[in-house]
PDB file of all heavy atoms in Angstrom:
ATOM      1  N   ARG A 344      18.451  -9.529  -1.492  1.00  0.00           N
ATOM      2  CA  ARG A 344      18.584  -8.085  -1.809  1.00  0.00           C
ATOM      3  C   ARG A 344      18.821  -7.322  -0.516  1.00  0.00           C
ATOM      4  O   ARG A 344      19.760  -6.449  -0.358  1.00  0.00           O
ATOM      5  CB  ARG A 344      17.271  -7.534  -2.439  1.00  0.00           C
ATOM      6  CG  ARG A 344      17.416  -6.048  -2.814  1.00  0.00           C
ATOM      7  CD  ARG A 344      16.139  -5.636  -3.615  1.00  0.00           C
ATOM      8  NE  ARG A 344      16.019  -4.239  -3.943  1.00  0.00           N
ATOM      9  CZ  ARG A 344      15.492  -3.333  -3.094  1.00  0.00           C
ATOM     10  NH1 ARG A 344      15.196  -3.633  -1.951  1.00  0.00           N
ATOM     11  NH2 ARG A 344      15.598  -2.043  -3.426  1.00  0.00           N
ATOM     12  N   VAL A 345      18.144  -7.608   0.584  1.00  0.00           N
ATOM     13  CA  VAL A 345      18.194  -6.934   1.793  1.00  0.00           C
ATOM     14  C   VAL A 345      19.616  -7.208   2.437  1.00  0.00           C
ATOM     15  O   VAL A 345      20.308  -6.340   2.924  1.00  0.00           O
ATOM     16  CB  VAL A 345      17.139  -7.292   2.797  1.00  0.00           C
ATOM     17  CG1 VAL A 345      17.366  -6.664   4.223  1.00  0.00           C
ATOM     18  CG2 VAL A 345      15.819  -6.845   2.369  1.00  0.00           C
ATOM     19  N   LEU A 346      20.054  -8.468   2.363  1.00  0.00           N
ATOM     20  CA  LEU A 346      21.431  -8.930   2.909  1.00  0.00           C
ATOM     21  C   LEU A 346      22.387  -8.125   2.045  1.00  0.00           C
ATOM     22  O   LEU A 346      23.504  -7.751   2.786  1.00  0.00           O
ATOM     23  CB  LEU A 346      21.580 -10.330   2.767  1.00  0.00           C
ATOM     24  CG  LEU A 346      20.817 -11.263   3.731  1.00  0.00           C
ATOM     25  CD1 LEU A 346      21.150 -12.748   3.454  1.00  0.00           C
ATOM     26  CD2 LEU A 346      21.046 -10.867   5.180  1.00  0.00           C
ATOM     27  N   GLU A 347      22.265  -7.962   0.756  1.00  0.00           N
ATOM     28  CA  GLU A 347      23.297  -7.188  -0.050  1.00  0.00           C
ATOM     29  C   GLU A 347      23.396  -5.765   0.553  1.00  0.00           C
ATOM     30  O   GLU A 347      24.463  -5.162   0.561  1.00  0.00           O
ATOM     31  CB  GLU A 347      22.778  -7.232  -1.437  1.00  0.00           C
ATOM     32  CG  GLU A 347      23.722  -6.450  -2.378  1.00  0.00           C
ATOM     33  CD  GLU A 347      23.364  -6.460  -3.875  1.00  0.00           C
ATOM     34  OE1 GLU A 347      22.338  -6.930  -4.147  1.00  0.00           O
ATOM     35  OE2 GLU A 347      24.237  -6.026  -4.730  1.00  0.00           O
ATOM     36  N   TYR A 348      22.166  -5.048   0.815  1.00  0.00           N
ATOM     37  CA  TYR A 348      22.289  -3.762   1.375  1.00  0.00           C
ATOM     38  C   TYR A 348      23.001  -3.841   2.751  1.00  0.00           C
ATOM     39  O   TYR A 348      23.663  -2.784   3.072  1.00  0.00           O
ATOM     40  CB  TYR A 348      20.886  -3.306   1.599  1.00  0.00           C
ATOM     41  CG  TYR A 348      20.284  -2.566   0.325  1.00  0.00           C
ATOM     42  CD1 TYR A 348      19.384  -3.077  -0.532  1.00  0.00           C
ATOM     43  CD2 TYR A 348      20.858  -1.278  -0.087  1.00  0.00           C
ATOM     44  CE1 TYR A 348      18.842  -2.472  -1.616  1.00  0.00           C
ATOM     45  CE2 TYR A 348      20.463  -0.558  -1.203  1.00  0.00           C
ATOM     46  CZ  TYR A 348      19.571  -1.141  -2.027  1.00  0.00           C
ATOM     47  OH  TYR A 348      19.061  -0.579  -3.158  1.00  0.00           O
ATOM     48  N   VAL A 349      22.830  -4.860   3.595  1.00  0.00           N
ATOM     49  CA  VAL A 349      23.568  -4.851   4.761  1.00  0.00           C
ATOM     50  C   VAL A 349      25.133  -4.941   4.527  1.00  0.00           C
ATOM     51  O   VAL A 349      25.908  -4.173   5.251  1.00  0.00           O
ATOM     52  CB  VAL A 349      23.150  -6.037   5.618  1.00  0.00           C
ATOM     53  CG1 VAL A 349      24.048  -6.261   6.901  1.00  0.00           C
ATOM     54  CG2 VAL A 349      21.668  -5.843   6.009  1.00  0.00           C
ATOM     55  N   GLU A 350      25.527  -5.584   3.576  1.00  0.00           N
ATOM     56  CA  GLU A 350      26.893  -5.664   3.194  1.00  0.00           C
ATOM     57  C   GLU A 350      27.388  -4.387   2.667  1.00  0.00           C
ATOM     58  O   GLU A 350      28.495  -3.918   3.068  1.00  0.00           O
ATOM     59  CB  GLU A 350      27.110  -6.720   2.121  1.00  0.00           C
ATOM     60  CG  GLU A 350      26.932  -8.159   2.627  1.00  0.00           C
ATOM     61  CD  GLU A 350      27.130  -9.205   1.483  1.00  0.00           C
ATOM     62  OE1 GLU A 350      27.527  -8.751   0.422  1.00  0.00           O
ATOM     63  OE2 GLU A 350      26.864 -10.445   1.780  1.00  0.00           O
ATOM     64  N   ILE A 351      26.539  -3.671   1.872  1.00  0.00           N
ATOM     65  CA  ILE A 351      26.906  -2.371   1.286  1.00  0.00           C
ATOM     66  C   ILE A 351      27.043  -1.393   2.443  1.00  0.00           C
ATOM     67  O   ILE A 351      27.967  -0.529   2.595  1.00  0.00           O
ATOM     68  CB  ILE A 351      25.891  -1.883   0.346  1.00  0.00           C
ATOM     69  CG1 ILE A 351      25.933  -2.711  -0.981  1.00  0.00           C
ATOM     70  CG2 ILE A 351      26.125  -0.429  -0.045  1.00  0.00           C
ATOM     71  CD1 ILE A 351      24.793  -2.566  -1.930  1.00  0.00           C
ATOM     72  N   GLY A 352      26.074  -1.462   3.457  1.00  0.00           N
ATOM     73  CA  GLY A 352      26.102  -0.570   4.475  1.00  0.00           C
ATOM     74  C   GLY A 352      27.266  -0.637   5.374  1.00  0.00           C
ATOM     75  O   GLY A 352      27.786   0.386   5.886  1.00  0.00           O
ATOM     76  N   GLN A 353      27.999  -1.731   5.561  1.00  0.00           N
ATOM     77  CA  GLN A 353      29.131  -1.950   6.401  1.00  0.00           C
ATOM     78  C   GLN A 353      30.245  -1.347   5.685  1.00  0.00           C
ATOM     79  O   GLN A 353      31.362  -1.140   6.368  1.00  0.00           O
ATOM     80  CB  GLN A 353      29.359  -3.488   6.514  1.00  0.00           C
ATOM     81  CG  GLN A 353      28.314  -4.100   7.450  1.00  0.00           C
ATOM     82  CD  GLN A 353      28.506  -5.557   7.789  1.00  0.00           C
ATOM     83  OE1 GLN A 353      29.380  -5.932   8.591  1.00  0.00           O
ATOM     84  NE2 GLN A 353      27.672  -6.406   7.089  1.00  0.00           N
ATOM     85  N   ARG A 354      30.248  -1.044   4.409  1.00  0.00           N
ATOM     86  CA  ARG A 354      31.350  -0.361   3.664  1.00  0.00           C
ATOM     87  C   ARG A 354      31.090   1.154   3.737  1.00  0.00           C
ATOM     88  O   ARG A 354      32.019   1.925   3.522  1.00  0.00           O
ATOM     89  CB  ARG A 354      31.444  -0.814   2.199  1.00  0.00           C
ATOM     90  CG  ARG A 354      31.845  -2.283   2.102  1.00  0.00           C
ATOM     91  CD  ARG A 354      32.252  -2.693   0.727  1.00  0.00           C
ATOM     92  NE  ARG A 354      31.117  -2.420  -0.286  1.00  0.00           N
ATOM     93  CZ  ARG A 354      30.332  -3.472  -0.649  1.00  0.00           C
ATOM     94  NH1 ARG A 354      30.413  -4.680  -0.023  1.00  0.00           N
ATOM     95  NH2 ARG A 354      29.318  -3.275  -1.497  1.00  0.00           N
ATOM     96  N   GLU A 355      29.851   1.565   4.048  1.00  0.00           N
ATOM     97  CA  GLU A 355      29.485   2.960   4.052  1.00  0.00           C
ATOM     98  C   GLU A 355      29.449   3.617   5.293  1.00  0.00           C
ATOM     99  O   GLU A 355      29.535   4.799   5.467  1.00  0.00           O
ATOM    100  CB  GLU A 355      28.154   3.142   3.291  1.00  0.00           C
ATOM    101  CG  GLU A 355      28.180   2.652   1.838  1.00  0.00           C
ATOM    102  CD  GLU A 355      26.727   2.854   1.270  1.00  0.00           C
ATOM    103  OE1 GLU A 355      25.783   2.645   1.940  1.00  0.00           O
ATOM    104  OE2 GLU A 355      26.680   3.238   0.164  1.00  0.00           O
ATOM    105  N   ALA A 356      29.136   2.900   6.439  1.00  0.00           N
ATOM    106  CA  ALA A 356      28.707   3.422   7.745  1.00  0.00           C
ATOM    107  C   ALA A 356      29.139   2.354   8.836  1.00  0.00           C
ATOM    108  O   ALA A 356      29.773   1.398   8.501  1.00  0.00           O
ATOM    109  CB  ALA A 356      27.377   3.700   7.812  1.00  0.00           C
ATOM    110  N   LYS A 357      28.727   2.616   9.900  1.00  0.00           N
ATOM    111  CA  LYS A 357      29.032   1.722  11.137  1.00  0.00           C
ATOM    112  C   LYS A 357      27.775   0.884  11.530  1.00  0.00           C
ATOM    113  O   LYS A 357      26.708   1.463  11.965  1.00  0.00           O
ATOM    114  CB  LYS A 357      29.472   2.528  12.335  1.00  0.00           C
ATOM    115  CG  LYS A 357      29.974   1.775  13.531  1.00  0.00           C
ATOM    116  CD  LYS A 357      30.282   2.730  14.669  1.00  0.00           C
ATOM    117  CE  LYS A 357      30.830   1.866  15.828  1.00  0.00           C
ATOM    118  NZ  LYS A 357      31.250   2.779  16.988  1.00  0.00           N
ATOM    119  N   LEU A 358      27.964  -0.389  11.365  1.00  0.00           N
ATOM    120  CA  LEU A 358      26.966  -1.374  11.954  1.00  0.00           C
ATOM    121  C   LEU A 358      27.035  -1.584  13.357  1.00  0.00           C
ATOM    122  O   LEU A 358      28.000  -2.082  13.835  1.00  0.00           O
ATOM    123  CB  LEU A 358      26.994  -2.616  11.120  1.00  0.00           C
ATOM    124  CG  LEU A 358      25.932  -3.726  11.615  1.00  0.00           C
ATOM    125  CD1 LEU A 358      24.656  -3.279  11.148  1.00  0.00           C
ATOM    126  CD2 LEU A 358      26.273  -5.045  10.925  1.00  0.00           C
ATOM    127  N   ILE A 359      26.007  -1.109  14.125  1.00  0.00           N
ATOM    128  CA  ILE A 359      26.133  -1.224  15.650  1.00  0.00           C
ATOM    129  C   ILE A 359      25.257  -2.255  16.213  1.00  0.00           C
ATOM    130  O   ILE A 359      25.200  -2.522  17.442  1.00  0.00           O
ATOM    131  CB  ILE A 359      25.896   0.143  16.315  1.00  0.00           C
ATOM    132  CG1 ILE A 359      24.572   0.616  16.101  1.00  0.00           C
ATOM    133  CG2 ILE A 359      27.035   1.143  15.832  1.00  0.00           C
ATOM    134  CD1 ILE A 359      24.185   1.902  16.939  1.00  0.00           C
ATOM    135  N   ALA A 360      24.413  -2.843  15.374  1.00  0.00           N
ATOM    136  CA  ALA A 360      23.399  -3.902  15.863  1.00  0.00           C
ATOM    137  C   ALA A 360      22.913  -4.752  14.731  1.00  0.00           C
ATOM    138  O   ALA A 360      22.663  -4.198  13.682  1.00  0.00           O
ATOM    139  CB  ALA A 360      22.266  -3.269  16.668  1.00  0.00           C
ATOM    140  N   GLY A 361      22.693  -6.103  14.986  1.00  0.00           N
ATOM    141  CA  GLY A 361      22.010  -6.927  14.116  1.00  0.00           C
ATOM    142  C   GLY A 361      22.742  -7.021  12.768  1.00  0.00           C
ATOM    143  O   GLY A 361      23.961  -6.936  12.588  1.00  0.00           O
ATOM    144  N   GLY A 362      21.907  -7.279  11.674  1.00  0.00           N
ATOM    145  CA  GLY A 362      22.419  -7.457  10.363  1.00  0.00           C
ATOM    146  C   GLY A 362      22.767  -8.790   9.922  1.00  0.00           C
ATOM    147  O   GLY A 362      23.421  -9.073   8.946  1.00  0.00           O
ATOM    148  N   SER A 363      22.472  -9.895  10.744  1.00  0.00           N
ATOM    149  CA  SER A 363      22.879 -11.265  10.423  1.00  0.00           C
ATOM    150  C   SER A 363      21.757 -12.189  10.888  1.00  0.00           C
ATOM    151  O   SER A 363      20.716 -11.788  11.533  1.00  0.00           O
ATOM    152  CB  SER A 363      24.187 -11.606  11.124  1.00  0.00           C
ATOM    153  OG  SER A 363      23.993 -11.609  12.577  1.00  0.00           O
ATOM    154  N   ARG A 364      21.882 -13.363  10.310  1.00  0.00           N
ATOM    155  CA  ARG A 364      20.780 -14.441  10.691  1.00  0.00           C
ATOM    156  C   ARG A 364      20.845 -14.787  12.249  1.00  0.00           C
ATOM    157  O   ARG A 364      22.009 -15.063  12.731  1.00  0.00           O
ATOM    158  CB  ARG A 364      21.077 -15.682   9.880  1.00  0.00           C
ATOM    159  CG  ARG A 364      20.194 -16.774  10.176  1.00  0.00           C
ATOM    160  CD  ARG A 364      20.543 -18.081   9.455  1.00  0.00           C
ATOM    161  NE  ARG A 364      20.332 -17.992   8.081  1.00  0.00           N
ATOM    162  CZ  ARG A 364      19.155 -18.091   7.461  1.00  0.00           C
ATOM    163  NH1 ARG A 364      18.101 -18.393   8.240  1.00  0.00           N
ATOM    164  NH2 ARG A 364      19.022 -17.976   6.146  1.00  0.00           N
ATOM    165  N   PRO A 365      19.770 -14.764  12.886  1.00  0.00           N
ATOM    166  CA  PRO A 365      19.807 -15.228  14.370  1.00  0.00           C
ATOM    167  C   PRO A 365      20.258 -16.722  14.420  1.00  0.00           C
ATOM    168  O   PRO A 365      19.878 -17.507  13.618  1.00  0.00           O
ATOM    169  CB  PRO A 365      18.296 -15.108  14.699  1.00  0.00           C
ATOM    170  CG  PRO A 365      17.777 -13.997  13.766  1.00  0.00           C
ATOM    171  CD  PRO A 365      18.501 -14.241  12.441  1.00  0.00           C
ATOM    172  N   ALA A 366      21.053 -17.030  15.362  1.00  0.00           N
ATOM    173  CA  ALA A 366      21.631 -18.364  15.549  1.00  0.00           C
ATOM    174  C   ALA A 366      20.610 -19.335  15.682  1.00  0.00           C
ATOM    175  O   ALA A 366      20.806 -20.497  15.247  1.00  0.00           O
ATOM    176  CB  ALA A 366      22.652 -18.214  16.718  1.00  0.00           C
ATOM    177  N   HIS A 367      19.430 -19.122  16.298  1.00  0.00           N
ATOM    178  CA  HIS A 367      18.485 -20.047  16.555  1.00  0.00           C
ATOM    179  C   HIS A 367      17.619 -20.380  15.274  1.00  0.00           C
ATOM    180  O   HIS A 367      16.698 -21.191  15.405  1.00  0.00           O
ATOM    181  CB  HIS A 367      17.645 -19.747  17.701  1.00  0.00           C
ATOM    182  CG  HIS A 367      16.683 -18.471  17.468  1.00  0.00           C
ATOM    183  ND1 HIS A 367      17.209 -17.251  17.431  1.00  0.00           N
ATOM    184  CD2 HIS A 367      15.383 -18.372  17.323  1.00  0.00           C
ATOM    185  CE1 HIS A 367      16.205 -16.383  17.275  1.00  0.00           C
ATOM    186  NE2 HIS A 367      15.132 -17.068  17.084  1.00  0.00           N
ATOM    187  N   LEU A 368      17.811 -19.695  14.225  1.00  0.00           N
ATOM    188  CA  LEU A 368      16.996 -19.827  12.968  1.00  0.00           C
ATOM    189  C   LEU A 368      17.895 -20.165  11.834  1.00  0.00           C
ATOM    190  O   LEU A 368      18.194 -19.316  11.054  1.00  0.00           O
ATOM    191  CB  LEU A 368      16.106 -18.641  12.656  1.00  0.00           C
ATOM    192  CG  LEU A 368      15.218 -18.272  13.865  1.00  0.00           C
ATOM    193  CD1 LEU A 368      14.628 -16.775  13.636  1.00  0.00           C
ATOM    194  CD2 LEU A 368      13.976 -19.354  13.706  1.00  0.00           C
ATOM    195  N   PRO A 369      18.395 -21.356  11.715  1.00  0.00           N
ATOM    196  CA  PRO A 369      19.300 -21.741  10.626  1.00  0.00           C
ATOM    197  C   PRO A 369      18.862 -21.784   9.262  1.00  0.00           C
ATOM    198  O   PRO A 369      19.482 -21.766   8.299  1.00  0.00           O
ATOM    199  CB  PRO A 369      19.850 -23.171  10.986  1.00  0.00           C
ATOM    200  CG  PRO A 369      18.809 -23.783  11.823  1.00  0.00           C
ATOM    201  CD  PRO A 369      18.173 -22.547  12.532  1.00  0.00           C
ATOM    202  N   GLU A 370      17.478 -21.830   9.157  1.00  0.00           N
ATOM    203  CA  GLU A 370      16.824 -21.823   7.786  1.00  0.00           C
ATOM    204  C   GLU A 370      15.806 -20.835   7.754  1.00  0.00           C
ATOM    205  O   GLU A 370      15.245 -20.435   8.693  1.00  0.00           O
ATOM    206  CB  GLU A 370      16.193 -23.278   7.507  1.00  0.00           C
ATOM    207  CG  GLU A 370      17.328 -24.340   7.414  1.00  0.00           C
ATOM    208  CD  GLU A 370      16.627 -25.741   7.166  1.00  0.00           C
ATOM    209  OE1 GLU A 370      15.437 -25.720   7.125  1.00  0.00           O
ATOM    210  OE2 GLU A 370      17.396 -26.696   6.963  1.00  0.00           O
ATOM    211  N   GLY A 371      15.348 -20.479   6.547  1.00  0.00           N
ATOM    212  CA  GLY A 371      14.292 -19.425   6.391  1.00  0.00           C
ATOM    213  C   GLY A 371      14.888 -17.965   6.188  1.00  0.00           C
ATOM    214  O   GLY A 371      16.125 -17.763   6.470  1.00  0.00           O
ATOM    215  N   ASN A 372      13.988 -17.108   5.754  1.00  0.00           N
ATOM    216  CA  ASN A 372      14.517 -15.784   5.462  1.00  0.00           C
ATOM    217  C   ASN A 372      14.578 -14.863   6.569  1.00  0.00           C
ATOM    218  O   ASN A 372      13.786 -13.814   6.682  1.00  0.00           O
ATOM    219  CB  ASN A 372      13.638 -15.175   4.273  1.00  0.00           C
ATOM    220  CG  ASN A 372      13.522 -16.125   3.134  1.00  0.00           C
ATOM    221  OD1 ASN A 372      14.454 -16.873   2.794  1.00  0.00           O
ATOM    222  ND2 ASN A 372      12.442 -16.073   2.506  1.00  0.00           N
TER     223      ASN A 372
END
Side-chain angles (χ1 to χ4, degrees):
R344 179 177 180 272
V345 174
L346 290 178
E347 182 181 4
Y348 272 109
V349 172
E350 292 178 5
I351 291 168
Q353 291 179 76
R354 299 193 293 270
E355 297 178 320
K357 182 179 179 182
L358 178 67
I359 63 170
S363 61
R364 175 187 293 278
H367 67 288
L368 296 166
E370 297 180 353
N372 307 329

